PDB file of all heavy atoms in Angstrom:
ATOM      1  N   ALA A  57       2.280  -0.937   5.985  1.00 96.00           N
ATOM      2  CA  ALA A  57       1.124  -0.610   6.832  1.00 96.00           C
ATOM      3  C   ALA A  57      -0.179  -0.739   6.055  1.00 96.00           C
ATOM      4  O   ALA A  57      -1.171  -1.284   6.558  1.00 96.00           O
ATOM      5  CB  ALA A  57       1.274   0.802   7.404  1.00 96.00           C
ATOM      6  N   HIS A  58      -0.173  -0.266   4.815  1.00 97.00           N
ATOM      7  CA  HIS A  58      -1.386  -0.357   4.006  1.00 97.00           C
ATOM      8  C   HIS A  58      -1.688  -1.798   3.599  1.00 97.00           C
ATOM      9  O   HIS A  58      -2.855  -2.200   3.548  1.00 97.00           O
ATOM     10  CB  HIS A  58      -1.282   0.553   2.786  1.00 97.00           C
ATOM     11  CG  HIS A  58      -1.357   1.999   3.136  1.00 97.00           C
ATOM     12  ND1 HIS A  58      -0.794   2.978   2.363  1.00 97.00           N
ATOM     13  CD2 HIS A  58      -1.920   2.637   4.192  1.00 97.00           C
ATOM     14  CE1 HIS A  58      -1.011   4.156   2.927  1.00 97.00           C
ATOM     15  NE2 HIS A  58      -1.696   3.962   4.042  1.00 97.00           N
ATOM     16  N   LEU A  59      -0.639  -2.574   3.321  1.00 98.00           N
ATOM     17  CA  LEU A  59      -0.839  -3.997   3.035  1.00 98.00           C
ATOM     18  C   LEU A  59      -1.476  -4.672   4.243  1.00 98.00           C
ATOM     19  O   LEU A  59      -2.397  -5.475   4.109  1.00 98.00           O
ATOM     20  CB  LEU A  59       0.485  -4.672   2.672  1.00 98.00           C
ATOM     21  CG  LEU A  59       0.437  -6.182   2.475  1.00 98.00           C
ATOM     22  CD1 LEU A  59      -0.545  -6.572   1.373  1.00 98.00           C
ATOM     23  CD2 LEU A  59       1.835  -6.715   2.174  1.00 98.00           C
ATOM     24  N   SER A  60      -1.009  -4.313   5.414  1.00 97.00           N
ATOM     25  CA  SER A  60      -1.579  -4.841   6.645  1.00 97.00           C
ATOM     26  C   SER A  60      -3.076  -4.552   6.713  1.00 97.00           C
ATOM     27  O   SER A  60      -3.880  -5.437   7.022  1.00 97.00           O
ATOM     28  CB  SER A  60      -0.864  -4.220   7.852  1.00 97.00           C
ATOM     29  OG  SER A  60      -1.546  -4.508   9.037  1.00 97.00           O
ATOM     30  N   ALA A  61      -3.461  -3.330   6.425  1.00 97.00           N
ATOM     31  CA  ALA A  61      -4.880  -2.953   6.470  1.00 97.00           C
ATOM     32  C   ALA A  61      -5.702  -3.761   5.471  1.00 97.00           C
ATOM     33  O   ALA A  61      -6.814  -4.205   5.787  1.00 97.00           O
ATOM     34  CB  ALA A  61      -5.029  -1.459   6.204  1.00 97.00           C
ATOM     35  N   ALA A  62      -5.166  -3.963   4.280  1.00 98.00           N
ATOM     36  CA  ALA A  62      -5.885  -4.729   3.263  1.00 98.00           C
ATOM     37  C   ALA A  62      -6.062  -6.180   3.702  1.00 98.00           C
ATOM     38  O   ALA A  62      -7.151  -6.758   3.545  1.00 98.00           O
ATOM     39  CB  ALA A  62      -5.143  -4.665   1.930  1.00 98.00           C
ATOM     40  N   LEU A  63      -5.025  -6.757   4.262  1.00 98.00           N
ATOM     41  CA  LEU A  63      -5.107  -8.152   4.694  1.00 98.00           C
ATOM     42  C   LEU A  63      -6.076  -8.322   5.853  1.00 98.00           C
ATOM     43  O   LEU A  63      -6.876  -9.268   5.873  1.00 98.00           O
ATOM     44  CB  LEU A  63      -3.712  -8.651   5.077  1.00 98.00           C
ATOM     45  CG  LEU A  63      -2.724  -8.767   3.912  1.00 98.00           C
ATOM     46  CD1 LEU A  63      -1.322  -9.032   4.428  1.00 98.00           C
ATOM     47  CD2 LEU A  63      -3.161  -9.830   2.926  1.00 98.00           C
ATOM     48  N   ILE A  64      -6.018  -7.410   6.808  1.00 97.00           N
ATOM     49  CA  ILE A  64      -6.946  -7.485   7.939  1.00 97.00           C
ATOM     50  C   ILE A  64      -8.387  -7.308   7.461  1.00 97.00           C
ATOM     51  O   ILE A  64      -9.289  -8.020   7.896  1.00 97.00           O
ATOM     52  CB  ILE A  64      -6.555  -6.466   9.026  1.00 97.00           C
ATOM     53  CG1 ILE A  64      -5.231  -6.911   9.683  1.00 97.00           C
ATOM     54  CG2 ILE A  64      -7.654  -6.301  10.056  1.00 97.00           C
ATOM     55  CD1 ILE A  64      -4.598  -5.882  10.598  1.00 97.00           C
ATOM     56  N   SER A  65      -8.593  -6.396   6.517  1.00 97.00           N
ATOM     57  CA  SER A  65      -9.940  -6.200   5.949  1.00 97.00           C
ATOM     58  C   SER A  65     -10.440  -7.452   5.240  1.00 97.00           C
ATOM     59  O   SER A  65     -11.641  -7.710   5.197  1.00 97.00           O
ATOM     60  CB  SER A  65      -9.938  -5.030   4.959  1.00 97.00           C
ATOM     61  OG  SER A  65      -9.683  -3.820   5.630  1.00 97.00           O
ATOM     62  N   ALA A  66      -9.502  -8.230   4.703  1.00 97.00           N
ATOM     63  CA  ALA A  66      -9.855  -9.464   4.002  1.00 97.00           C
ATOM     64  C   ALA A  66      -9.990 -10.648   4.957  1.00 97.00           C
ATOM     65  O   ALA A  66     -10.179 -11.782   4.521  1.00 97.00           O
ATOM     66  CB  ALA A  66      -8.806  -9.766   2.928  1.00 97.00           C
ATOM     67  N   GLY A  67      -9.865 -10.381   6.252  1.00 97.00           N
ATOM     68  CA  GLY A  67     -10.005 -11.448   7.232  1.00 97.00           C
ATOM     69  C   GLY A  67      -8.731 -12.216   7.507  1.00 97.00           C
ATOM     70  O   GLY A  67      -8.758 -13.248   8.172  1.00 97.00           O
ATOM     71  N   ARG A  68      -7.613 -11.732   7.004  1.00 98.00           N
ATOM     72  CA  ARG A  68      -6.316 -12.398   7.185  1.00 98.00           C
ATOM     73  C   ARG A  68      -5.534 -11.653   8.270  1.00 98.00           C
ATOM     74  O   ARG A  68      -4.477 -11.090   8.032  1.00 98.00           O
ATOM     75  CB  ARG A  68      -5.587 -12.436   5.848  1.00 98.00           C
ATOM     76  CG  ARG A  68      -6.322 -13.319   4.850  1.00 98.00           C
ATOM     77  CD  ARG A  68      -5.982 -13.064   3.411  1.00 98.00           C
ATOM     78  NE  ARG A  68      -4.589 -13.195   3.081  1.00 98.00           N
ATOM     79  CZ  ARG A  68      -4.060 -12.772   1.936  1.00 98.00           C
ATOM     80  NH1 ARG A  68      -4.832 -12.202   1.031  1.00 98.00           N
ATOM     81  NH2 ARG A  68      -2.784 -12.904   1.694  1.00 98.00           N
ATOM     82  N   GLU A  69      -6.094 -11.663   9.465  1.00 97.00           N
ATOM     83  CA  GLU A  69      -5.592 -10.844  10.562  1.00 97.00           C
ATOM     84  C   GLU A  69      -4.175 -11.202  10.989  1.00 97.00           C
ATOM     85  O   GLU A  69      -3.352 -10.312  11.224  1.00 97.00           O
ATOM     86  CB  GLU A  69      -6.542 -10.952  11.752  1.00 97.00           C
ATOM     87  CG  GLU A  69      -6.243  -9.916  12.808  1.00 97.00           C
ATOM     88  CD  GLU A  69      -7.335  -9.835  13.845  1.00 97.00           C
ATOM     89  OE1 GLU A  69      -8.515  -9.766  13.465  1.00 97.00           O
ATOM     90  OE2 GLU A  69      -6.979  -9.830  15.033  1.00 97.00           O
ATOM     91  N   THR A  70      -3.856 -12.476  11.090  1.00 97.00           N
ATOM     92  CA  THR A  70      -2.520 -12.883  11.523  1.00 97.00           C
ATOM     93  C   THR A  70      -1.459 -12.363  10.557  1.00 97.00           C
ATOM     94  O   THR A  70      -0.461 -11.767  10.974  1.00 97.00           O
ATOM     95  CB  THR A  70      -2.430 -14.417  11.658  1.00 97.00           C
ATOM     96  OG1 THR A  70      -3.403 -14.848  12.602  1.00 97.00           O
ATOM     97  CG2 THR A  70      -1.044 -14.848  12.111  1.00 97.00           C
ATOM     98  N   GLU A  71      -1.683 -12.577   9.277  1.00 97.00           N
ATOM     99  CA  GLU A  71      -0.743 -12.094   8.266  1.00 97.00           C
ATOM    100  C   GLU A  71      -0.673 -10.570   8.281  1.00 97.00           C
ATOM    101  O   GLU A  71       0.403  -9.979   8.170  1.00 97.00           O
ATOM    102  CB  GLU A  71      -1.155 -12.605   6.880  1.00 97.00           C
ATOM    103  CG  GLU A  71      -0.152 -12.286   5.798  1.00 97.00           C
ATOM    104  CD  GLU A  71      -0.574 -12.794   4.431  1.00 97.00           C
ATOM    105  OE1 GLU A  71      -1.654 -13.422   4.303  1.00 97.00           O
ATOM    106  OE2 GLU A  71       0.175 -12.548   3.471  1.00 97.00           O
ATOM    107  N   GLY A  72      -1.815  -9.928   8.432  1.00 97.00           N
ATOM    108  CA  GLY A  72      -1.850  -8.473   8.483  1.00 97.00           C
ATOM    109  C   GLY A  72      -1.038  -7.924   9.638  1.00 97.00           C
ATOM    110  O   GLY A  72      -0.316  -6.938   9.493  1.00 97.00           O
ATOM    111  N   ARG A  73      -1.133  -8.560  10.776  1.00 97.00           N
ATOM    112  CA  ARG A  73      -0.363  -8.110  11.942  1.00 97.00           C
ATOM    113  C   ARG A  73       1.141  -8.264  11.720  1.00 97.00           C
ATOM    114  O   ARG A  73       1.928  -7.447  12.192  1.00 97.00           O
ATOM    115  CB  ARG A  73      -0.795  -8.865  13.186  1.00 97.00           C
ATOM    116  CG  ARG A  73      -2.153  -8.432  13.687  1.00 97.00           C
ATOM    117  CD  ARG A  73      -2.570  -9.250  14.887  1.00 97.00           C
ATOM    118  NE  ARG A  73      -3.936  -8.939  15.238  1.00 97.00           N
ATOM    119  CZ  ARG A  73      -4.292  -8.529  16.435  1.00 97.00           C
ATOM    120  NH1 ARG A  73      -3.407  -8.393  17.387  1.00 97.00           N
ATOM    121  NH2 ARG A  73      -5.557  -8.264  16.685  1.00 97.00           N
ATOM    122  N   GLU A  74       1.530  -9.303  11.005  1.00 97.00           N
ATOM    123  CA  GLU A  74       2.957  -9.503  10.701  1.00 97.00           C
ATOM    124  C   GLU A  74       3.485  -8.355   9.838  1.00 97.00           C
ATOM    125  O   GLU A  74       4.577  -7.842  10.075  1.00 97.00           O
ATOM    126  CB  GLU A  74       3.163 -10.841  10.004  1.00 97.00           C
ATOM    127  CG  GLU A  74       2.921 -12.037  10.903  1.00 97.00           C
ATOM    128  CD  GLU A  74       2.897 -13.355  10.161  1.00 97.00           C
ATOM    129  OE1 GLU A  74       3.131 -13.384   8.934  1.00 97.00           O
ATOM    130  OE2 GLU A  74       2.625 -14.377  10.823  1.00 97.00           O
ATOM    131  N   TRP A  75       2.702  -7.949   8.844  1.00 97.00           N
ATOM    132  CA  TRP A  75       3.122  -6.841   7.979  1.00 97.00           C
ATOM    133  C   TRP A  75       3.112  -5.520   8.742  1.00 97.00           C
ATOM    134  O   TRP A  75       3.977  -4.667   8.519  1.00 97.00           O
ATOM    135  CB  TRP A  75       2.247  -6.771   6.733  1.00 97.00           C
ATOM    136  CG  TRP A  75       2.524  -7.885   5.779  1.00 97.00           C
ATOM    137  CD1 TRP A  75       1.712  -8.947   5.501  1.00 97.00           C
ATOM    138  CD2 TRP A  75       3.703  -8.080   4.991  1.00 97.00           C
ATOM    139  NE1 TRP A  75       2.312  -9.778   4.593  1.00 97.00           N
ATOM    140  CE2 TRP A  75       3.534  -9.268   4.257  1.00 97.00           C
ATOM    141  CE3 TRP A  75       4.879  -7.362   4.836  1.00 97.00           C
ATOM    142  CZ2 TRP A  75       4.501  -9.758   3.384  1.00 97.00           C
ATOM    143  CZ3 TRP A  75       5.855  -7.854   3.958  1.00 97.00           C
ATOM    144  CH2 TRP A  75       5.656  -9.034   3.248  1.00 97.00           C
ATOM    145  N   LEU A  76       2.173  -5.361   9.653  1.00 95.00           N
ATOM    146  CA  LEU A  76       2.144  -4.156  10.473  1.00 95.00           C
ATOM    147  C   LEU A  76       3.390  -4.085  11.356  1.00 95.00           C
ATOM    148  O   LEU A  76       3.983  -3.015  11.507  1.00 95.00           O
ATOM    149  CB  LEU A  76       0.883  -4.114  11.329  1.00 95.00           C
ATOM    150  CG  LEU A  76       0.738  -2.888  12.223  1.00 95.00           C
ATOM    151  CD1 LEU A  76       0.766  -1.597  11.412  1.00 95.00           C
ATOM    152  CD2 LEU A  76      -0.543  -2.982  13.040  1.00 95.00           C
ATOM    153  N   ALA A  77       3.797  -5.213  11.903  1.00 96.00           N
ATOM    154  CA  ALA A  77       5.023  -5.245  12.716  1.00 96.00           C
ATOM    155  C   ALA A  77       6.225  -4.819  11.887  1.00 96.00           C
ATOM    156  O   ALA A  77       7.102  -4.087  12.372  1.00 96.00           O
ATOM    157  CB  ALA A  77       5.230  -6.644  13.298  1.00 96.00           C
ATOM    158  N   GLU A  78       6.270  -5.234  10.633  1.00 96.00           N
ATOM    159  CA  GLU A  78       7.377  -4.833   9.752  1.00 96.00           C
ATOM    160  C   GLU A  78       7.327  -3.329   9.479  1.00 96.00           C
ATOM    161  O   GLU A  78       8.365  -2.661   9.460  1.00 96.00           O
ATOM    162  CB  GLU A  78       7.337  -5.625   8.445  1.00 96.00           C
ATOM    163  CG  GLU A  78       8.462  -5.310   7.495  1.00 96.00           C
ATOM    164  CD  GLU A  78       9.852  -5.645   8.021  1.00 96.00           C
ATOM    165  OE1 GLU A  78       9.987  -6.363   9.019  1.00 96.00           O
ATOM    166  OE2 GLU A  78      10.833  -5.167   7.416  1.00 96.00           O
ATOM    167  N   ALA A  79       6.139  -2.793   9.267  1.00 95.00           N
ATOM    168  CA  ALA A  79       5.999  -1.347   9.045  1.00 95.00           C
ATOM    169  C   ALA A  79       6.527  -0.575  10.246  1.00 95.00           C
ATOM    170  O   ALA A  79       7.258   0.410  10.099  1.00 95.00           O
ATOM    171  CB  ALA A  79       4.540  -0.982   8.782  1.00 95.00           C
ATOM    172  N   LEU A  80       6.176  -1.037  11.429  1.00 94.00           N
ATOM    173  CA  LEU A  80       6.622  -0.354  12.645  1.00 94.00           C
ATOM    174  C   LEU A  80       8.116  -0.534  12.886  1.00 94.00           C
ATOM    175  O   LEU A  80       8.776   0.349  13.420  1.00 94.00           O
ATOM    176  CB  LEU A  80       5.816  -0.843  13.845  1.00 94.00           C
ATOM    177  CG  LEU A  80       4.342  -0.437  13.805  1.00 94.00           C
ATOM    178  CD1 LEU A  80       3.574  -1.136  14.918  1.00 94.00           C
ATOM    179  CD2 LEU A  80       4.192   1.070  13.904  1.00 94.00           C
ATOM    180  N   ARG A  81       8.656  -1.668  12.474  1.00 94.00           N
ATOM    181  CA  ARG A  81      10.100  -1.883  12.572  1.00 94.00           C
ATOM    182  C   ARG A  81      10.847  -0.910  11.677  1.00 94.00           C
ATOM    183  O   ARG A  81      11.851  -0.316  12.070  1.00 94.00           O
ATOM    184  CB  ARG A  81      10.466  -3.312  12.205  1.00 94.00           C
ATOM    185  CG  ARG A  81      11.954  -3.650  12.425  1.00 94.00           C
ATOM    186  CD  ARG A  81      12.331  -4.968  11.811  1.00 94.00           C
ATOM    187  NE  ARG A  81      12.340  -4.943  10.356  1.00 94.00           N
ATOM    188  CZ  ARG A  81      13.284  -4.361   9.606  1.00 94.00           C
ATOM    189  NH1 ARG A  81      14.283  -3.703  10.163  1.00 94.00           N
ATOM    190  NH2 ARG A  81      13.218  -4.400   8.282  1.00 94.00           N
ATOM    191  N   LEU A  82      10.322  -0.711  10.470  1.00 95.00           N
ATOM    192  CA  LEU A  82      10.959   0.178   9.509  1.00 95.00           C
ATOM    193  C   LEU A  82      10.841   1.642   9.923  1.00 95.00           C
ATOM    194  O   LEU A  82      11.748   2.433   9.681  1.00 95.00           O
ATOM    195  CB  LEU A  82      10.351  -0.005   8.117  1.00 95.00           C
ATOM    196  CG  LEU A  82      10.725  -1.301   7.413  1.00 95.00           C
ATOM    197  CD1 LEU A  82       9.840  -1.501   6.194  1.00 95.00           C
ATOM    198  CD2 LEU A  82      12.200  -1.300   7.023  1.00 95.00           C
TER     199      LEU A  82
END
Side-chain angles (χ1 to χ4, degrees):
H58 289 154
L59 175 59
S60 169
L63 293 170
I64 291 170
S65 294
R68 294 160 57 193
E69 192 169 312
T70 301
E71 187 180 359
R73 287 177 187 236
E74 291 170 3
W75 288 109
L76 180 58
E78 182 63 14
L80 293 171
R81 186 191 70 74
L82 288 168

